[in-house]
Amino acid sequence: QVHLEESGGGSVQSGGSLRLSCTVSEVIDSNYCLGWFREAPGKEREGVAAIDSAGIANYAISTEGRFTISQDKAKNLVYLQMNSLNSDDTAMYYCAATPNRGICEPGLFPIVVYTGHGYWGQGTQVTVSS
């Protein structure tokens, strides 16, 4: 069973930054997608960023230009650098992984993961105050 563990969440003022980290317990496939999605009360689950095994990154419209996803393959780590945070970014952030590089877009990979074709962690809370 693949295990993912997020860290780095917390409280920050609007305009501030946070860096989330996710440790993946093992390599899930030679062609994979790693990503972050978030959930907030009263809002739909939203994929925010994804990166595939070739290093190609994709972002949601709401996060492009502010968030940066990266990975350290040697350490099985994936990061999410979040800058210019605002109150709309307040949510529980989850790291996810799926052995399917072909769906590595924020609008797709959360659906694939939640329908049983991937893995996700317990989440880390991000709270942005104005």
Side-chain angles (χ1 to χ4, degrees), residues 98-116:
T98 178
N100 188 339
R101 180 185 165 195
I103 51 77
C104 207
E105 295 182 11
L108 293 176
F109 84 83
I111 299 172
V112 172
V113 168
Y114 259 71
T115 54

Side-chain angles (χ1 to χ4, degrees), residues 16-76:
S17 299
L18 282 173
R19 187 195 196 203
L20 306 183
S21 300
C22 174
T23 301
V24 185
S25 63
E26 59 187 83
V27 176
I28 61 172
D29 195 270
S30 58
N31 292 293
Y32 59 79
C33 175
L34 296 172
W36 294 87
F37 66 91
R38 63 189 180 189
E39 294 184 345
K43 296 183 179 180
E44 292 188 0
R45 184 181 309 123
E46 179 187 20
V48 297
I51 189 166
D52 66 18
S53 47
I56 298 172
N58 290 291
Y59 298 91
I61 293 175
S62 61
T63 62
E64 190 160 18
R66 301 187 300 124
F67 291 12
T68 302
I69 188 170
S70 61
Q71 60 182 327
D72 184 332
K73 290 186 176 183
K75 298 180 179 179
N76 283 355

